[in-house]
Amino acid sequence: MPPAVSPLLQDLQAELPAACLLTDRADLITYAYDGTAAMRQLPLAVVLPLTADQIQATLGIARKHRTPVVTRGSGTGLSGGSIPVANSIVITLVRMDRILELDTRNLTLLVEAGAITQKIYEAADAAGLFYPPDPGSMKISTIGGNVAENSGGLRGLKYGVTRDYVMGMEVILADGKRCWLGSRCVKDVAGYNLRDLFIGSEGTLGIVTQVLLKLLPKPAGRQTLLASFTSMEDAAETVSQIIAARIVPCTLEFLDRKTIQCVENFTRVGLPVDAAALLLIETDGHPAAATEEAQKIEDLCHAHGASSVRRARDSAEAVQLATARRSAFSALARLKPTTILEDVTVPRSELAGMIREVALIAERWNVEIATFGHFGDGNLHPTILTNERDLEEMKRVEHAIDAIVEAALARKGTITGEHGVGLAKKQFLRRQIGDSSHQLLTLVKRSLDPDNLLNPGKIFDLPPFADHHVDAPAH
Amino acid sequence: MSTPLPTKAIPAKLGVGPHGLAALDYSILQQCMHCGMCLPSCPTYLETKRERHSPRGRIALMRAIADGEYAVTREFGEEMYYCLGCLACTTACPAGVNYAELFETARADIEQHRVLDTPARRGIRWFALRLVFTRPRLLKVLGRLLWLYQRSGVQTLLRKIGLFSLLPRRLRELEKQTPEVRTQFSDSLVKEVEAPYGPKRHRVAVLTGCVQDILFSEINHATVEVLRENGCEVFTPRNQYCCGSLHAHNGDPEAAKDLARRQIEMISPESVDAIITNAGGCGSHLKHYDTLLADDPRYAARARIWSNKVHDIHEWLVKISFRKPKEAPQQDQVITYHESCHLCHGQKIVSQPREILRSLPGMTLRECAQSSHCCGSAGIYNLTQPATAASLQAQKVARIRETGAHVVATSNPGCHLQLQIGLRDADDSMIEVSQPVLLLARAYAEERRHRTMKR
Ligand SMILES: Cc1cc2nc3c(=O)[nH]c(=O)nc-3n(C[C@H](O)[C@H](O)[C@H](O)COP(=O)(O)OP(=O)(O)OC[C@H]3O[C@@H](n4cnc5c(N)ncnc54)[C@H](O)[C@@H]3O)c2cc1C
Ligand code: SF4
Ligand code: SF4
């Protein structure tokens, strides 16, 4: 006899088309993870809505049965943001992926939240326009996930992050209300800036269903350089010199030796596998300016110890090199079964020191760490290569992570530059922002989602509203 | 010579001791760090956007089985037969996950657990995998019968009276897809040993394949001809066995191993410079005899030699710097290239077929969008999953037509057939389906014709 269907599932079945509701154990297993290492939790059910109405209906049922809801894009997140909580409903927006409107007069693009970042880039590109944010996962991440994490990308140095391109968005709140945040105007100061509050809220304040994005004209020229160095110090020094020379490249990425080797193993684009550090640098803009800047950068690289500088011959080669850099994190999985990616950011002047310290930490705790990241933004991804089944080593890994976070905070840095707090970093959040700010965050959450329905347990732990008064201490 | 393979029944109950996914080297599963980078390349995920239909999802299920948190269920069986086995995920995966091995192990596990078993399915599997595709002579007899049926007018007659409309839809589709069988198989088109035109530089063996030989024997003939044009003495054993790829991909590793041993006996790998295959799917499997027979004390060493010597025809031609033809196989034609999954994803052979196509005078290569996306043929996928196969086929045909090409070249009999049917069903299309070696052989033949005319 089949197991009795719970009242919650009965309600969901009554409300949703069969193809939009998954409850098979096989399906549940496949929504138990995201890109974060060593974290898994099975949900109760998975909903793949096609419309905002279906999301509202699902939220209504969830409220009725006091069942938490975890919103999900493509599950590429690296802080556990879309990992289900126990007994929850997962709503994944990947089927709501339409591009709704390209406004070439106002340079805006309206999309559904499940639209893939790469598709957005391509749609803009086809119209001679440019959507700059390009997280390493852009081939598959959704814009909703990007907005929820305020994702950065390779072009962050010159063009900023997702936040800088969101003009407005439609969200569904925990109580089922649909509202529009932001506007179509470049300038707008009507009321609190709730749009920015929702950007980076990691699915804890509302479900984003549509996003209105700002586009730029496509830069006419682009130059791509690959500079190799025999020491990480030289590379870091070169970066300081480039910034000191008042040049703002659009991309300034680096890879260390281990990362270079893994990436080359996958892409075979001819990276110098014996280099200690590699800088991937792009300039763009007016063709003459892009070329001139690239030349200046090339000279600076040579002056500061670059062993070689390669200039991409054409756009195909440039794309190849950027793609190689984007695969860095996944390619590192070639070395050890478990790869734990850190995401600390420090003021740029602290970069060289931070990199040195990461190396010392690796030595002290006897763990293998490869590092790459967005040099121009001060955003480092020390990646710990380990095996989650080796419990003794995992202990040391935890110490190493703690030490990295401490080192970043000591340098006035942040515990996460782009991946978010989620489950992975919540133990460190208070250390960075202090008690009163921490409490303020929980107050905001409580006022928008009193039942703690949306992605509970992410960013911070908050007991269910029903059992606690608003101004009770956060613990 | 052709003694049948032992068709020993697989034990009804699971044998003792570990096997399948549970016994698999766990690090192969752990290699997947669920980054999702493979999702946009997976045709089944793109069809449904459902995570379990993605490589990452399938690997998660396998890992749950290995961890003892999930069992080999009917759902899992259906899932793994919904997977095309196209290996696009392995090309996309930066972490280097060995999905091919996971896929074969999972399917073998499913067969061992008999979760999809029905009497009809068991019958068909026994008939196809154990009976027909292990006996080359029987396969040809069946091929001949099919030919007779098509030629005798019985097929046309039956089609005319509309008798097929009485058949269930699935069978009707199948009947429409029965391809035209060749009048002659390779054994009568090429001699067992053919001398090179000109001085001999290499000695190679040619594998004729099963489907290739029955449906496209002229491609085998063309393969032998281009090899002869390039200084190769060609050995083509008579009555060849199936390479076993069909068995390995469909959960019958034991039969695959037996067939591998027979192949090695048939062509002593020590005696030739190269073993040439011209079907992407077979090649991908043939190159893995070393791992397939790694635990076989008698054959492991020879299997390693074998794997080193197996070359896809395009790979081999480029390796020996093939001679560029001087004449055009066809005049002023635009050609496009559809990559067979197991050639590009399985064997990573991407540039060589294009190099051959570019060498053809009178033909211009125009790339087709997503040339490495699966066409939906995928072994017998178009029979087992007709809806998805048809959808992929339609997408492929549309992209080919976008290029405006006159000819589409591919390099696997399954793809060849799938494109032919797809283009035929798209009605107004006049696009010819061909293969790089066929065009190359035609160009060489054209050259020879010109030489004799001049004389
Ligand atoms: C290989 C790789 C490279 C990466 N590179 C970068 C990089 O360069 N820069 C960077 O910033 N990140 C990077 N990431 C992290 C990740 O890709 C981003 O965080 C991305 O934005 C997540 O998008 P997603 O669609 O996969 O969202 P998910 O992972 O599914 O979800 C992420 C969070 O967003 C919430 N969410 C998702 N959709 C919605 C919605 N519609 N409404 C409300 N909340 C929602 C979820 O609840 C969760 O908290 C990388 C990840 C990988 C695997
Ligand atoms: S790309 Fe590779 S590592 Fe990433 S999810 Fe797919 S199979 Fe796993
Ligand atoms: S083999 Fe093809 S269909 Fe199967 S998971 Fe990989 S990409 Fe998807």
Side-chain angles (χ1 to χ4, degrees), chain A residues 340-351:
Chain A
I340 303 177
L341 185 71
E342 273 309 315
D343 175 37
V344 291
T345 305
V346 293
R348 288 175 292 190
S349 55
E350 301 283 341
L351 260 177

Side-chain angles (χ1 to χ4, degrees), chain A residues 22 24-27 29-31 33-37 40 48 72 74-76 94-95 97 136-137 139-140 266 326-327 329-331 333-334 337-339 387-389, chain B residues 26-27 30-37 39-40 45 48-52 54 56-58 60-61 63-64 67 69-70 73 75-76 90-97:
Chain A
L22 310 175
D24 247 26
R25 192 171 162 78
D27 282 301
I29 288 171
T30 63
Y31 291 93
Y33 50 78
D34 67 4
T36 319
R40 277 189 312 150
L48 286 128
R72 179 186 172 99
S74 291
T76 66
V94 288
R95 285 188 190 157
D97 62 351
S137 52
K139 263 191 176 164
I140 187 67
F266 167 53
R326 284 199 191 100
S327 64
F329 164 50
S330 318
R334 288 170 183 253
T338 311
T339 34
N387 186 345
E388 66 198 276
R389 298 176 124 198
Chain B
Y26 195 75
S27 67
Q30 252 183 321
Q31 193 67 37
C32 173
M33 36 111 71
H34 31 91
C35 65
M37 297 292 264
L39 268 60
Y45 177 74
T48 65
K49 295 285 185 99
R50 191 167 160 189
E51 180 78 14
R52 71 139 88 161
S54 79
R56 182 173 65 169
R58 290 178 177 129
L61 290 176
R63 189 161 169 178
D67 287 341
E69 292 168 2
Y70 184 58
T73 58
E75 272 86 50
F76 180 68
T90 64
T91 299
C93 173
V97 172

